[in-house]
Amino acid sequence: MHAPDQAELLTLLGTGLAVVGADLRVAWINPALGEMLDVGPRTAVGQPVGQLIREPNLAAQLARTTSEARGFNLRAITFGTARGRDITADLALQPIGDGRVLIEVHPLAPDLSVTETPLSATLRGFAHEVKNPLAGLRGAAQLLERRVADDDLRSLAAMVIAEADRLAALADGLLRHGGAARIGPVNIHELLERLEGLVTAEANAPAVRHDYDPSLPDVLGDNDRLLQVLLNLTRNAIEAGARTLTLRTRIEHGARLGDRTVRAALRVDVTDDGPGVPDELRDVLFQPLVSGRPDGTGLGLALSREIALEHGGDLRYASRPGDTVFSLYLPMERPHE
């Protein structure tokens, strides 16, 4: 067995490494950093480094590294990847000649004291308990689908199977460390069509109206989690006695989301004609274990808002008898852009 040479050792290192040329394009990247950034090493070579490590000040810092011919350490930098994930890491920049810079990326472990909220812990416990009943539900629906001849009944059984799979995936996501979202392009109108199919299949289904902006582009998000938010909103309205739901999509410019203002946000309104939010719940509606129904868990809206915040957005409402609007806001650009 031959001793590994220097290039092989760099490839085997668990530390994320990349060499960036004077043109700010990736000249080399090791597999560890490729995995971290969700990109293959061969695909990464030649790409602008700003496409892979989306940190607004990185280009200026690389230029300073080469011009001053000395290394710099960037502590606790949060940057986005091409796939939409956010990573917090220490970055070490070291000039290696000919205008090239070696970048080392050392991800920081999440601070569980900050990220592990009581709601997240409660939901993970719930997810653990719900997985076995979901498996039984799916199995029963599969048997039903095979044995019935009626096409409508088979379609309903298939819907039960699809929903059981979606809930199982959500449970798996909550049980994974951090419950990381699976970010990808989401066509909001296709998502709302799926939502309408689920709503109208229920026994006490309300009338559903549309008010869509057909020009809306895709938004980045976790398709299943966003569907869960909208399902929570519509089912709350139905259980409160709403007879009509209106689903509306709009672009809102200069939206304030948390502590920042974004150029544009997608707004999805779920409007119902139910009795409205009780006065005693208006200030605590999104808190865990708060419910206006005796049989309610008080987790639906709390989870929905947590998912909205996880996407860099927000969930808000305005309510009066006969006209309640819950608005889901999603930024059209990622927070680092």
Side-chain angles (χ1 to χ4, degrees), residues 60-260:
Q61 196 62 56
L62 288 169
R64 185 180 177 192
T65 301
T66 55
S67 65
E68 297 185 16
R70 64 187 182 94
F72 288 94
N73 292 315
L74 310 179
R75 302 295 184 187
I77 298 297
T78 298
F79 59 86
T81 71
R83 296 289 180 88
R85 288 196 306 121
D86 286 338
I87 297 174
T88 300
D90 289 340
L91 270 61
L93 310 181
Q94 188 66 39
I96 56 175
D98 298 326
R100 297 175 300 159
V101 175
L102 175 67
I103 302 178
E104 297 180 36
V105 181
H106 302 274
L108 300 179
D111 183 355
L112 293 183
S113 65
V114 175
T115 61
E116 184 76 353
T117 66
L119 175 58
S120 296
T122 300
L123 290 173
R124 269 192 282 279
F126 174 76
H128 179 77
E129 294 299 324
V130 82
K131 287 198 71 177
N132 286 338
L134 275 176
L137 176 67
R138 189 186 194 282
Q142 281 182 310
L143 288 175
L144 181 63
E145 186 183 33
R146 291 170 189 161
R147 293 181 181 179
V148 298
D150 185 277
D151 288 341
D152 288 339
L153 291 178
R154 289 172 62 87
S155 177
L156 289 173
M159 184 178 293
V160 171
I161 293 170
E163 283 302 285
D165 288 343
R166 184 179 63 81
L167 291 174
L170 286 171
D172 286 338
L174 290 169
L175 289 170
R176 290 195 302 269
H177 175 67
R182 293 178 293 181
I183 301 298
V186 175
N187 183 311
I188 195 63
H189 295 135
E190 290 180 0
L191 192 69
L192 290 171
E193 287 179 10
R194 185 178 171 192
L195 171 73
E196 183 177 356
L198 295 171
V199 169
T200 55
E202 298 190 6
N204 54 342
V208 179
R209 298 173 178 170
H210 310 135
D211 182 6
Y212 294 163
D213 178 351
S215 67
L216 292 178
D218 289 353
V219 66
L220 287 176
D222 185 310
N223 197 78
D224 284 341
R225 292 196 185 187
L226 293 177
L227 178 61
Q228 188 63 50
V229 172
L230 297 169
L231 268 175
N232 288 342
L233 299 181
T234 54
R235 284 177 175 159
N236 281 354
I238 294 169
E239 290 168 359
R243 292 175 296 178
T244 301
L245 292 175
T246 301
L247 306 177
R248 180 184 299 110
T249 58
R250 292 290 187 272
I251 287 288
E252 186 163 318
H253 297 281
R256 184 73 178 174
L257 301 179
D259 59 355
R260 65 194 182 97

